[in-house]
Every structure is written in structure tokens, then in C-alpha cells.
Amino acid sequence: MAEVSEQQKQQRAKELASELKSQKALLKKSKRQLAMVFDLNKCLGCQTCTIACKTLWTRDEGMEYMWWATVNTQPGKGTPRDWEKMGGGFRDEEPQAGKLPTRRDFGEAWDFNYDEVFYGGKGNSVHLQPSGDPDWGPNWDEDQGGGQYPNSFYFYLPRICNHCTNPACLEACPRNAIYKREEDGIVVISEERCKGYRFCTEACPYKKIYFNHVRQLSQKCIFCYPRIEKGVATACARQCPGRLRFVGYLDDENGPIHKLVKQWKVALPLHAEHGTQPNVYYVPPISPPRFDADGNIDESKPRIPTDYLKYLFGPDVEQVLATLKSEMAKTKAGGKSEILDTLIVYEWKSLFGPFTKDPATLEPRKV
Amino acid sequence: MICKKVAVAREQLIDPVAAEWKNVPAEPLKMDATPLANQPSEYIKASRDEKQIGKIRNLLVQAAHNGSDIFFRLTWEDESQNVDITDNNLFPDGCGILMPLNGGDPPIDEMGSKDWPVNAWFWRADFKDVARNTIARGLGTTQFSKQCPIQVKSTWGNAAWAVVFARPLAVPQQQSETVQLEAGKSVKIGFAIWEGSNGERAGVKSFSKEWRELALEI
């Protein structure tokens, strides 16, 4: 009898696994995929994207420590601190255990002594400073970078939710609260279904999901879908003064995203080894040359170690850098480069694919 | 399992340390890990070891009713009192009582089914003195009902939790959301405990893996 029951159990386990698989397949299905390309050669670390997002989406109670869009100096610990060492994602399609970053890892929202300085009559004697003694924040190691003088180096890495094609968060949620929007592949969390269990944050290898301690649910970048639905680009892209954030559909052959990612292959996903198929792509940073021991320029070696870029963007990064360099050589010699013209973005709105509408045409958000 | 008929007022029995509880028989229950195969997430299956699930393995259950209200007192040893979610990686302790919503024999280890829903009375330490009335129709489908007819009081001391749930036997205005109970009848019942310090939440918990029959004395 016991043996039969064991068999029945195994049979039922198989049925449940197969039911789960088909549920998840439905939640992952999308007809099109929105994507972004960030050109790291143009990011100046000004955090305008960060603030644009913060101002628009994460001002409510419980969202104080959330930064759906971040920009960190690389090499660096990133946001949350050491997120690259926290596991998650997939290996050979098998989900990998991940860690939950603490609030300190994300960087708490500090309280400042505004009242004292601005209204307490101490404007000339007290510095504006955070209360307590914070030892970490979302941009704590800004501009530290790596390397030794005179070959020190750094670059900026803007990050948002990657709106993955195979989202680890979606797979992890035991309540099917996470799904890809069928029309555009944006990954969203249903606030009706979410119970704040945080398996999604554990599983996300990019650690881009935050827990709202007031509402007790998980929240993350929504790719500004209420704007997208009205033909307006994401706030982070629209506000970026560096013109480096491209927005569009991956399959739009006339759009810059398709050209940069699929046709010219000069934009790569971040840490693609996690197997989630991220939909944010990066044009890797071209290095200045190194100085040799005598202080002469050594063109043979890049300042940013290629191995570090391979760690972030995979082995294809070498080919991308070679392509970019040859395109630059072409223009230096008086030729034309469609790739460089696209990356330069002569026409601001060419960044936004079909999402060029002015946000001022939208109704203000109800507060 | 017997639900003892007592002549004690709600105000007294809702108190987890009330002396009246000494007169109510206690049923020790052996708890088990929820099976990994039943976790509705490939991530949970891949990242957990069933041997580590369900830290609390012993539960004492007392049940009593006074003709109008029913009371359950759940006590279990727990050295760590996990109450508030003060950080992203912290989870509260909790407990729950499960009964078929409309009778029948729903699968207890699958949180009922589409046709045979279950009703859970749920308490979590961070809810303080608030309980949730929950309906489920299969794994990962629990939903809190808007109205909750359940009252709860809890206390932690001497490395143990004591939690009392109280509810009117019948809640006719919530027929479709919460189980209807009646003296003289019996009902299938199950229990679950979440140990916060072990990261237990959702289906990751210890539970009584078979239904017990709870007979309500006349």
C-alpha cells in the first residue's frame, strides 16, 4: 500500500509541476518586447534619471528607500551593496538560490536636519547632514572606481528592472502575482495578488525589487507603463541630459533598439549568465589608453580591463569594442558611420522610438 | 479531537493565559514540513531543502465553545519571538487553522481545490491582535476576505507562543467566505505554523498533514 501511495504522490507532484509550468508560461507570454539601450560612453552620472523616477513613482510612504532607477560607479559595490554576489537567476534553466538584501544594503533613506538648518536659526553654524551615522547609501562609492594612478578608471552603470524575457521573479512568486504584459513585455507585480513574501527579490539576480514596509508588498520599476500607453517615453529616458537611454520595441526594425542590439550587435545585456534574458542592453564603455611606467601613452592596453567588461557584459564585449573602434576610425578618416550617428543622437526624439509624445499632454497624477 | 462545551464568556476565553483553559483538554499534534513538490514555485523547490522546512514540529491544540462562540488555543515552543518585519530579510511567526469551507474532503496539502475550497483562519505576529479570514482554492490562491469575523489574542513568554482564535459558531452573513459551525456536528480541521526565524512564509511552513475530525460537543 505504502508503495502505491508513494507512486501516487510522485504522479501528483508531476501533475502539479506541469500545471505550474503552463501557468507560468501564460504569465511570461508577450507579443512584443519593450527594451532599453544605455550607452555607457555617454553617461555622466548626473542622477537626473534617478531623480526623475523617484519624483514620479516612489514618493509615497513606504517607498522612501526605493530607487527603481539607479546609477552606480563601476567598479563598485552597486545598489544594493554587493548585489552581484547575492545569487538568484538560473543555471542550466534551474533556479538558483539568492539572498535578500537588507534595507542597509539598499541604503536607508536618511533623515536630514532641514528644520534645524533652514528654520531653526542655525543656518550659519550647523551643517546640513543626515541624522545618525550612515555607513552606506545608494550611491556611496561614487567615483571611487578601480585601478591605480595614473591608470585609475571608472564609468557609470545606470540600472532599472531588466523586464526579463525569462524573469526569475515571475518564476519564483508562489502566488502568480508577477506577469509580463502581453502587449509590451513589461514585467509588473499585481498589488492585489502580492502578499509580500519576497521570493521575487530573492530570485532576482539584479536585486531590483523592493519591499514596501508600509504596504507589505513588493514594488519595482514599471517601465513607466502609464506613460508608454500614452505614447510618452519613460521618465528616466526623457529626462536624461546625456541622450543615452534609448526606448523602443526590440522587434521594431526601423528603431534604434533593434539596430543597436540585433543588427549591429553593439549593445549587450548585463550579467546575461543568470539566464533571465534581460531586456536592458548596454553599449560598453570604450577605454582611454594606459600610461606605461615612463608616463607614456600605451595604446596597446585599455585602461578599463577587458576582463572586467567581460565579467559584466560577457565574452562578446571584445567584438563590440572592436566594432566601435573601427567605426570611430572610419569617421576619423572622413567616412560616415551610421552606428556612431545613431549613438550620438543628433535628433533628441530619435531616442524614443514610437514614444515621442510630450508628457505635458498627460493628465497629472492624482496624489 | 473534541471541542469542549464550556460555560465561559468570550471575554475570558479569548485570553490566552486565562485559567479557564486549564480545564480544556489539549491535543498534541505532530507537525510536518510541507512537501517541496507542492510548493507552487520552481524557485522555492530549487532553493529549499525539505528537511529545513517546518521548524516547529510540535503543536498543542485546545478547542472549546460556549454555545455561541468557538475558541481555539494554539500553543507551541518557540525560542525566538519574531514579530515585526523591520527589515527585508525578516519574517514574522504565524499560525493558521484550516477547515473545508463547504465540507467534502479537499486536499489539505494543496490548500483545497477549485471545487472544494478551504477556509483558513490566519494570524501573524506582526498583525498583533488582528486575524485574517482566508479562502483558498488550491496552491497559491489564498485571498483574505474583506470582512473578518475572527478575533485573536496572542502572547509570547517562557519561549512559547499562545494564540487564541475566537469566532461566532455561525456567521450567516458570510456563508461564502467562512466555514459555518454547529454544536453536535464535526468538522475536518488542520493546522499550520510559520517560524519567522527560519524564513518561513507562504507555503513554507509546518503543517498537520492529515485532516483531523473535530467534534463539537452539545
Side-chain angles (χ1 to χ4, degrees):
Chain A
M1 276 309 276
E3 207 178 323
V4 176
S5 140
E6 193 52 41
Q7 265 182 14
Q8 280 171 340
K9 254 194 238 167
Q10 282 179 18
Q11 178 56 31
R12 185 63 188 140
K14 267 189 203 166
E15 286 167 15
L16 287 172
S18 134
E19 268 174 41
L20 182 63
K21 203 175 168 183
S22 49
Q23 283 167 8
K24 293 296 184 190
L26 271 176
L27 297 169
K28 271 192 267 191
K29 212 172 80 181
S30 67
K31 287 183 187 135
R32 296 190 86 182
Q33 182 63 54
L34 275 173
M36 283 181 88
V37 168
F38 297 164
D39 182 356
L40 299 187
N41 294 291
K42 297 171 81 179
C43 181
L44 40 140
C46 68
Q47 308 285 354
T48 310
C49 52
T50 315
I51 298 301
C53 176
K54 182 85 199 158
T55 312
L56 189 57
W57 296 119
T58 60
R59 287 166 67 186
D60 293 345
E61 215 194 334
M63 301 177 109
E64 295 87 349
Y65 83 116
M66 294 188 195
W67 300 92
W68 293 352
T70 47
V71 182
N72 282 106
T73 302
Q74 302 299 131
K77 289 182 191 293
T79 300
R81 173 170 52 191
D82 285 327
W83 64 271
E84 287 163 295
K85 296 175 188 160
M86 288 184 178
F90 305 91
R91 195 182 300 145
D92 301 325
E93 292 174 32
E94 182 80 0
Q96 300 296 301
K99 274 191 198 159
L100 281 168
T102 62
R103 294 173 68 123
R104 268 170 97 89
D105 289 335
F106 279 107
E108 292 273 11
W110 308 335
D111 286 321
F112 285 79
N113 53 337
Y114 294 115
D115 283 345
E116 190 180 26
V117 173
F118 295 133
Y119 311 108
K122 292 190 184 165
N124 291 322
S125 56
V126 174
H127 286 289
L128 186 68
Q129 60 191 16
S131 59
D133 191 13
D135 63 355
W136 191 251
N139 194 28
W140 189 267
D141 53 1
E142 182 172 43
D143 292 357
Q144 286 182 15
Q148 287 296 315
Y149 178 84
N151 287 311
S152 34
F153 67 93
Y154 67 77
F155 58 92
Y156 298 111
L157 185 74
R159 300 203 303 125
I160 58 169
C161 163
N162 283 308
H163 298 278
C164 304
T165 298
N166 184 32
C169 58
L170 185 156
E171 191 67 59
C173 178
R175 295 185 49 78
N176 287 340
I178 306 183
Y179 62 97
K180 285 180 79 65
R181 281 160 45 106
E182 204 178 348
E183 60 270 41
D184 50 28
I186 295 175
V187 176
V188 287
I189 302 174
S190 157
E191 295 193 344
E192 269 79 55
R193 292 213 56 77
C194 177
K195 283 234 172 110
Y197 293 144
R198 289 160 273 165
F199 293 109
C200 53
T201 311
E202 258 188 60
C204 170
Y206 302 99
K207 297 294 172 251
K208 267 295 175 195
I209 307 178
Y210 290 81
F211 181 65
N212 184 320
H213 286 262
V214 173
R215 298 186 56 205
Q216 299 213 328
L217 45 80
S218 294
Q219 295 177 316
K220 62 168 210 59
C221 160
I222 55 171
F223 210 100
C224 288
Y225 74 78
R227 288 166 66 108
I228 289 289
E229 285 172 359
K230 299 268 163 68
V232 179
T234 59
C236 60
R238 181 114 186 166
Q239 294 292 306
C240 173
R243 298 192 179 187
L244 61 101
R245 298 168 89 104
F246 296 85
V247 184
Y249 292 104
L250 205 50
D251 65 359
D252 176 4
E253 293 189 5
N254 299 314
I257 300 270
H258 184 269
K259 285 180 182 164
L260 292 166
V261 175
K262 302 282 185 193
Q263 188 182 334
W264 302 323
K265 296 184 167 49
V266 292
L268 299 167
L270 177 65
H271 286 304
E273 71 275 14
H274 292 304
T276 62
Q277 300 170 51
N279 286 302
V280 173
Y281 298 83
Y282 295 87
V283 179
I286 302 164
S287 277
R290 288 177 68 87
F291 291 105
D292 68 14
D294 301 324
N296 297 315
I297 287 172
D298 176 4
E299 293 274 6
S300 71
K301 286 190 195 119
R303 188 89 66 86
I304 305 173
T306 308
D307 278 348
Y308 181 59
L309 294 178
K310 281 187 184 169
Y311 161 71
L312 294 176
F313 305 112
D316 293 346
V317 79
E318 278 184 295
Q319 183 52 50
V320 174
L321 292 171
T323 304
L324 293 173
K325 276 182 189 158
S326 83
E327 291 296 303
M328 285 166 80
K330 227 162 66 181
T331 55
K332 244 186 200 169
K336 271 199 73 76
S337 162
E338 206 188 331
I339 298 180
L340 293 190
D341 282 354
T342 302
L343 290 173
I344 287 166
V345 188
Y346 289 106
E347 183 54 52
W348 178 52
K349 287 190 174 172
S350 71
L351 282 165
F352 306 135
F355 307 104
T356 54
K357 239 168 120 182
D358 185 343
T361 62
L362 300 182
E363 299 228 339
R365 186 181 167 216
K366 290 185 187 80
V367 183
Chain B
M1 197 182 283
I2 298 290
C3 176
K4 195 176 159 69
K5 172 83 189 281
V6 293
V8 183
R10 172 186 263 253
E11 294 67 36
Q12 281 157 302
L13 278 181
I14 190 72
D15 179 2
V17 294
E20 282 79 4
W21 280 109
K22 292 205 174 84
N23 305 322
V24 178
E27 176 105 7
L29 282 186
K30 209 82 194 112
M31 307 292 274
D32 282 281
T34 45
L36 260 190
N38 289 22
Q39 298 293 337
S41 155
E42 289 302 330
Y43 172 78
I44 297 176
K45 289 189 212 176
S47 61
R48 262 73 180 166
D49 176 350
E50 197 169 297
K51 290 191 205 85
Q52 305 297 322
I53 292 179
K55 200 171 165 204
I56 304 298
R57 293 303 173 106
N58 294 294
L59 174 66
L60 269 182
V61 178
Q62 292 163 279
H65 77 89
N66 60 10
S68 57
D69 292 317
I70 186 164
F71 305 86
F72 293 98
R73 182 171 181 265
L74 275 53
T75 48
W76 68 96
E77 285 177 21
D78 179 3
E79 285 181 4
S80 61
Q81 183 197 20
N82 308 101
V83 179
D84 291 310
I85 310 175
T86 50
D87 209 335
N88 303 329
N89 56 350
L90 298 179
F91 298 89
D93 298 327
C95 63
I97 303 172
L98 196 71
M99 286 170 269
L101 181 63
N102 307 320
D105 187 15
I108 189 171
D109 55 352
E110 294 182 19
M111 292 300 284
S113 64
K114 241 182 202 139
D115 299 330
W116 295 101
V118 287
N119 174 214
W121 302 7
F122 178 56
W123 169 83
R124 224 170 63 184
D126 61 321
F127 294 170
K128 309 290 182 323
D129 283 347
V130 174
R132 302 283 192 183
N133 180 70
T134 294
I135 308 130
R137 294 172 195 274
L139 297 165
T141 66
T142 56
Q143 285 290 18
F144 299 149
S145 63
K146 283 209 178 81
Q147 308 276 321
C148 179
I150 308 154
Q151 204 189 346
V152 73
K153 289 254 189 258
S154 65
T155 178
W156 185 88
N158 297 324
W161 277 110
V163 180
V164 173
F165 291 86
R167 209 204 69 174
L169 286 166
V171 188
Q173 65 276 29
Q174 275 181 273
Q175 286 277 358
S176 61
E177 293 181 332
T178 197
V179 61
Q180 305 300 312
L181 301 168
E182 203 182 322
K185 296 218 167 146
S186 73
V187 61
K188 286 187 165 53
I189 194 158
F191 302 87
I193 304 288
W194 288 264
E195 175 48 44
S197 70
N198 196 34
E200 293 179 11
R201 73 272 199 196
V204 179
K205 62 193 176 191
S206 63
F207 82 133
S208 54
K209 63 179 183 180
E210 280 138 16
W211 291 116
R212 263 61 174 193
E213 271 318 300
L214 177 75
L216 282 70
E217 284 183 354
I218 296 183

